[in-house]
Amino acid sequence: MSEPPQSNAKTGCPPVPQSIMTASRDELDNIQLEIEGNLPEEVQGYIFIVAPVGTVESGGLPFPDGDSFLNGDGMIYRLDFNQKGKVILKTRIAKPLDYHFDEATKGTKLGFSNRGILRFSLLLGARNELNTAFLPVKFSKDEQERLLVTYDAGRPYEIDTDTLDLVTPVGSNKEWRPEAPLPYLFPPIFSTAHPTFDTYTGEMFAVNYGRSLENFLDTIPFIEKIDERFPGVRQFWEKFKGLEDFVYLIRWDGVTHLERWTLVNPDGSPVSIKQTIHQIGVTKDYVILMDTAFSTGLDQLLTNPFPDNKELERILRDLLESPPSPDSIIYIVSRSELQKGQRPALNEPEVKVVARKVVIPLEAAHFLVDYENPDDKITLHVAHICAWDVAEWLRQYDISAYPPHNPAPEYLPGMELNEMDISRLGRYVIDGKNQVEPKVIWDIECTWGLGLYAYLDRLPSGKTPRKLDNIYWISFGLWKDLTTDYLCQLYRHYKYQKVPQSEVLALAEKGIPACLLRLETQSMEIADRYQFDPGYIVSSPQFMPRRGNQGSSTDGYMVCTVFTPQRNEIWIFEADNLSQGPKCKLSHESLNFTFTLHTAWLEQIGSRSARYKISLKADYEDLAKKFQYPPEFKKEIEELFAKELYPRFESE
């Protein structure tokens, strides 16, 4: 792998830091991190971070063929701040049953391969990589907080916060509907990476949805030419015909079976998700779903149906790729309508609930909601990732947007691409008649590529704040080396362009640094900010309440991962004074991660005491009986079951 250039003096834009391009799969136990600066005495609790770290085949990141970093097994990092003057790190890869099948079949025709940001086997099904986010939950009968780890393309799993091992999926296979009605051992299930928990009622909400692709190929004018040049593309997609649109809203009490409702439009037609439901929210009286600008699902297979054929991948991307919708579609479900729902584990009939639809300008992947909705007015806080497809990545065949359009640097394939317009921060008040009162801001220095967020999510009582008054956001900045000709073409007609594309290119050529900022939601002003040095990238912000915090949303610390030109670090800021810079920086020679994603904070951890657990035997035996595979693989699959499946049944 080529080393990045040391400088870019001609343009002023620094290279993307090498430290974000590699990740290790080594699992660490009780590593004491080195501390530069002064670790505040009032830090407390445990911070959890998750990040993709490649696959059983790649042995880490980057992928040799330049696949997306977002594809990979989730590594869970736990930082222990409860030992005075020390920070202790422990890590574990999340390993559901499909992980072990992936490991056992690597290099064989049964094996899994990277398909876009998914990992898939045409014979076994889809991987649940559990690499995206967490959800702390504490149901009414729980003695301590529990923690779920999540993924857009799979069921959430609960982890033991002490050992970091997976304990159980949330819901059995029977309680989740696959997107593809095929008899896979690991059916492709699409949920949300951000289920939500109501701390006042002790209920968790999630979704399970599928998208119809039945007429997708017929609407593509170039498909016949593609099929002529690359025989098998149409045949590949024939097996996924017949998919249906469906959206289930799921409720769980942490103890018993999942309960769900089928969401329909006012005319009775099924709610149709065009992209993905990356995040949902809950208020006192409503559940909020958003069709988010983040593409996951089986259409990811379309851009890479034959992983070894990069020429086909390039042609398909050029012909078929389109930018995410520039508008955000929101579905609002009244909780008063959620009486008795369907429990699929008990074979109960479906129950339909009407969702009302609201459309707001500008795309988004993440949003938050105020818990209180006085006078039936819902308040949304949204980061608009304008002209930015976060499910896209830099490919080996990409060329620079700048003349003479040289190939992108050799060390960057797999990395996120630049945004092609400035991001915006929005607050929206939606009333019962779907009237929307917007307030949208942007800042030329610090709202380029708004991604992840943090806030005080639990008061000392353990309850959610009823209103969000301060939200912390990080920005990606602008990078010349991540600005490609493909991006210019993809967004040349962007509907809501604020900064002209020519100016975006000029700004990226100079470079705009990453930023950590605090937004006051009432005034919609950026009240505090810290702009990182050029050549640094920040990710995974997490608010840690200061020891003794009485409920203030700024009384605490902001903890972030930082990619420097030399190494991976973790920085700690005072949440009420970001501009003064970090209080301390944590590092270790074994700390090697790439693009870290979402986080969680727990005050205490411990061995899991909850009794809820899905039996592997009950969960997979029926699927194994129904599983259909070509006869030529009969012996191989029977041996695989004997080695990987049945011994795990016996261990229960």
Side-chain angles (χ1 to χ4, degrees):
M1 181 178 63
S2 300
E3 292 295 319
Q6 295 304 304
S7 65
N8 214 339
K10 234 180 183 182
T11 65
C13 182
V16 174
Q18 174 71 26
S19 61
I20 201 171
M21 301 306 300
T22 63
S24 169
R25 291 172 65 86
D26 293 341
E27 296 177 318
L28 306 175
D29 276 308
N30 301 322
I31 300 295
Q32 183 172 333
L33 299 182
E34 298 170 8
I35 301 172
E36 177 186 335
N38 297 312
L39 181 70
E41 292 185 1
E42 297 87 357
V43 295
Q44 61 164 332
Y46 301 81
I47 285 179
F48 294 78
I49 305 169
V50 67
V53 290
T55 67
V56 296
E57 287 181 308
S58 71
L61 289 173
F63 291 112
D65 56 0
D67 284 343
S68 171
F69 285 4
L70 295 184
N71 194 331
D73 297 308
M75 180 75 83
I76 299 169
Y77 303 81
R78 188 190 68 204
L79 302 170
D80 176 358
F81 290 92
N82 275 358
Q83 301 188 39
K84 188 173 181 179
K86 299 179 181 179
V87 181
I88 306 299
L89 172 70
K90 180 183 178 71
T91 72
R92 284 292 181 272
I93 293 176
K95 301 174 183 175
L97 182 61
D98 52 272
Y99 170 93
H100 299 288
F101 272 72
D102 193 352
E103 194 170 44
T105 60
K106 63 182 178 182
T108 73
K109 291 183 179 180
L110 288 173
F112 295 80
S113 58
N114 293 351
R115 309 296 183 99
I117 61 172
L118 299 181
R119 188 160 172 81
F120 198 81
S121 164
L122 289 175
L123 293 172
L124 296 175
R127 283 292 322 278
N128 184 357
E129 296 187 301
L130 296 171
N131 66 18
T132 309
F134 298 102
L135 180 68
V137 295
K138 189 177 183 182
F139 299 96
S140 59
K141 296 182 180 180
D142 290 338
E143 299 175 359
Q144 62 186 31
E145 280 192 300
R146 297 153 66 178
L147 189 63
L148 309 183
V149 61
T150 66
Y151 183 51
D152 286 285
R155 298 176 286 176
Y157 270 72
E158 185 174 351
I159 67 173
D160 185 303
T161 57
D162 181 31
T163 66
L164 301 186
D165 294 330
L166 297 186
V167 177
T168 180
V170 174
S172 64
N173 278 309
K174 187 176 182 179
E175 295 173 274
W176 294 86
R177 179 176 170 180
E179 182 169 35
L182 297 172
Y184 282 132
L185 184 63
F186 302 111
I189 292 169
F190 293 96
S191 182
T192 175
H194 296 280
T196 187
F197 184 70
D198 187 331
T199 58
Y200 293 92
T201 64
E203 299 169 304
M204 189 194 95
F205 292 92
V207 293
N208 176 202
Y209 67 98
R211 294 174 51 199
S212 174
L213 297 176
E214 186 171 359
N215 299 316
F216 188 70
L217 292 179
D218 295 334
T219 63
I220 300 173
F222 303 105
I223 193 64
E224 295 297 341
K225 292 182 180 179
I226 294 172
D227 202 41
E228 287 173 11
R229 183 170 179 182
F230 299 97
V233 173
R234 180 176 288 277
Q235 182 181 1
F236 172 85
W237 274 101
E238 285 294 329
K239 69 188 303 176
F240 296 106
K241 287 248 183 179
L243 306 186
E244 296 178 348
D245 287 322
F246 67 88
V247 180
Y248 295 114
L249 176 61
I250 293 172
R251 183 169 67 189
W252 184 48
D253 63 4
V255 177
T256 57
H257 302 300
L258 303 186
E259 187 179 18
R260 73 186 188 189
W261 291 263
T262 304
L263 299 189
V264 297
N265 295 305
D267 64 2
S269 62
V271 167
S272 176
I273 299 302
K274 306 303 181 186
Q275 299 174 129
T276 185
I277 308 178
H278 181 65
Q279 187 158 29
I280 66 174
V282 64
T283 78
K284 182 179 179 182
D285 298 313
Y286 299 98
V287 181
I288 316 298
L289 288 66
M290 182 183 286
D291 195 340
T292 44
F294 176 73
S295 180
T296 185
L298 291 181
D299 56 326
Q300 281 287 312
L301 308 186
L302 183 60
T303 62
N304 193 16
F306 304 107
D308 296 330
N309 192 328
K310 291 298 177 183
E311 175 63 11
L312 173 57
E313 178 187 321
R314 183 188 66 78
I315 291 173
L316 287 175
R317 185 178 73 157
D318 288 346
L319 290 176
L320 308 180
E321 190 73 14
S322 59
S325 168
D327 298 301
S328 294
I329 300 175
I330 298 163
Y331 293 96
I332 301 173
V333 180
S334 175
R335 293 177 65 175
S336 64
E337 299 295 317
L338 304 180
Q339 300 301 320
K340 185 179 183 304
Q342 175 199 20
R343 290 174 295 176
L346 303 181
N347 298 315
E348 295 177 347
E350 289 194 353
V351 179
K352 295 181 179 179
V353 168
V354 172
R356 59 185 171 103
K357 178 179 176 181
V358 179
V359 180
I360 59 175
L362 304 173
E363 63 269 50
H366 293 121
F367 71 95
L368 300 166
V369 294
D370 285 355
Y371 184 77
E372 289 291 349
N373 47 258
D375 302 319
D376 279 341
K377 291 183 177 180
I378 300 166
T379 302
L380 269 65
H381 308 277
V382 184
H384 292 294
I385 51 173
C386 303
W388 193 19
D389 188 349
V390 292
E392 261 297 339
W393 67 98
L394 194 144
R395 316 290 178 103
Q396 291 175 331
Y397 45 78
D398 272 323
I399 60 175
S400 172
Y402 302 90
H405 304 294
N406 292 321
E410 292 183 3
Y411 78 103
L412 285 180
M415 180 61 181
E416 289 285 292
L417 289 168
N418 244 2
E419 62 279 15
M420 293 304 291
D421 196 10
I422 194 164
S423 299
R424 283 150 250 185
L425 289 163
R427 184 192 66 211
Y428 300 89
V429 179
I430 306 172
D431 67 18
K433 296 181 180 180
N434 287 3
Q435 298 296 310
V436 180
E437 179 186 331
K439 174 67 174 177
V440 180
I441 69 164
W442 55 283
D443 184 284
I444 197 65
E445 290 184 348
C446 65
T447 63
W448 289 96
L450 290 171
L452 309 180
Y453 57 85
Y455 63 104
L456 175 70
D457 61 354
R458 297 188 304 292
L459 301 169
S461 63
K463 304 301 184 184
T464 303
R466 293 183 177 273
K467 186 175 182 179
L468 301 180
D469 54 3
N470 285 283
I471 303 174
Y472 299 82
W473 295 94
I474 59 167
S475 69
F476 185 60
L478 274 177
W479 302 82
K480 179 184 178 183
D481 286 344
L482 300 177
T483 308
T484 65
D485 182 68
Y486 168 76
L487 284 177
C488 293
Q489 301 305 317
L490 187 67
Y491 287 106
R492 65 187 182 277
H493 301 306
Y494 180 58
K495 183 178 179 180
Y496 298 116
Q497 195 80 37
K498 175 68 71 173
V499 179
Q501 191 173 102
S502 59
E503 189 174 337
V504 173
L505 291 172
L507 290 169
E509 193 167 22
K510 296 177 182 177
I512 291 183
C515 189
L516 168 65
L517 63 91
R518 174 168 62 87
L519 175 73
E520 285 187 351
T521 64
Q522 192 62 34
S523 64
M524 285 300 289
E525 294 179 352
I526 296 173
D528 194 7
R529 69 181 73 184
Y530 176 82
Q531 197 160 40
F532 289 79
D533 288 340
Y536 285 58
I537 291 177
V538 58
S539 193
S540 303
Q542 175 60 48
F543 183 87
M544 175 198 292
R546 193 188 307 268
R547 196 182 303 276
N549 181 304
Q550 297 300 306
S552 166
S553 60
T554 60
D555 185 20
Y557 301 95
M558 284 302 307
V559 182
C560 318
T561 59
V562 178
F563 304 90
T564 80
Q566 292 78 35
R567 62 185 181 182
N568 297 150
E569 297 180 346
I570 296 166
W571 291 15
I572 301 176
F573 296 80
E574 287 190 333
D576 60 355
N577 195 352
L578 303 178
S579 61
Q580 75 171 352
K583 298 291 291 182
C584 69
K585 304 174 183 180
L586 311 176
S587 62
H588 193 276
E589 61 182 3
S590 299
L591 190 62
N592 184 12
F593 47 70
T594 184
F595 223 128
T596 55
L597 298 174
H598 293 281
T599 59
W601 176 82
L602 297 182
E603 185 175 7
Q604 297 293 336
I605 62 170
S607 298
R608 181 180 184 267
S609 59
R611 303 179 71 175
Y612 177 88
K613 189 174 183 180
I614 297 296
S615 161
L616 279 179
K617 181 178 178 66
D619 202 29
Y620 281 99
E621 238 178 7
D622 285 345
L623 280 177
K625 290 175 183 176
K626 297 174 184 176
F627 179 50
Q628 295 178 7
Y629 50 86
E632 62 266 29
F633 293 102
K634 183 176 187 298
K635 182 179 179 182
E636 190 174 351
I637 289 179
E638 286 177 350
E639 290 176 353
L640 189 63
F641 278 18
K643 178 184 176 183
E644 297 295 339
L645 188 64
Y646 298 119
R648 299 178 196 282
F649 289 175
E650 295 166 2
S651 66
E652 293 185 330

